[in-house]
Amino acid sequence: MKKIALILLCIYNFSYAVEYDEIEAEMLAVSCTSCHGINEETQSVAPVLAGMPKDSLYEILLNYKNGKKTGTMMKEHVKDYTDEQLEQIAYFFSNIEKD
Ligand code: HEC
């Protein structure tokens, strides 16, 4: 029974993308820009996120959160966001021009 619930949960998570909320997304993404900048011009210590495809960015963030992807500090930064919030953040950066 538990397995079925888990499978249903996965299907639910993957088939319904959250609707992009520009204001919420920007507020959530501000905490990332101190290290990542907004675009190439404002890039700081971390790779530029602007213009990354939304789905791959979202997947990377989920992988950091569930420990599939490791790094120096990203796990700490994504752990308190819900999956929906990470998707909003992914929308935000994918909608920004790289330069
Ligand atoms: C304290 C600095 C810092 C903050 C804040 C930060 N990051 Fe990072 N991020 C890094 C560093 C450094 C890396 C390079 C990989 C590593 O060392 O973990 C990275 C890597 C990444 C990557 C992988 C890029 C690639 O090309 O593989 C993504 C995606 C990412 N961060 C997204 C975010 C998002 C979204 C936020 C906000 C929720 C965020 N980061 C907040 C420092 C930061």
Side-chain angles (χ1 to χ4, degrees):
M1 200 51 208
K2 258 193 191 153
K3 256 190 194 153
I4 295 174
L6 199 69
I7 290 167
L8 286 177
L9 196 72
C10 290
I11 294 172
Y12 176 79
N13 274 343
F14 289 116
S15 48
Y16 294 93
V18 295
E19 208 167 300
Y20 182 40
D21 178 338
E22 220 171 306
I23 294 169
E24 188 198 351
E26 186 169 359
M27 274 177 10
L28 293 168
V30 163
S31 70
C32 320
T33 59
S34 57
C35 291
H36 286 277
I38 288 277
N39 54 24
E40 278 177 352
E41 252 169 56
T42 55
Q43 183 190 14
S44 171
V45 295
V48 175
L49 304 176
M52 275 179 78
K54 181 237 159 196
D55 286 342
S56 46
L57 182 50
Y58 180 45
E59 201 183 320
I60 294 174
L61 296 176
L62 289 179
N63 285 340
Y64 274 128
K65 190 174 159 186
N66 63 30
K68 274 195 210 149
K69 185 168 163 68
T70 54
T72 51
M73 45 187 93
M74 281 309 301
K75 193 172 170 56
E76 285 307 307
H77 285 290
V78 295
K79 74 176 179 359
D80 289 331
Y81 291 102
T82 64
D83 293 359
E84 289 74 21
Q85 288 173 323
L86 292 176
E87 193 169 3
Q88 290 289 354
I89 292 173
Y91 272 121
F92 176 81
F93 284 108
S94 69
N95 277 330
I96 297 213
E97 299 271 329
K98 207 168 170 189
D99 44 27

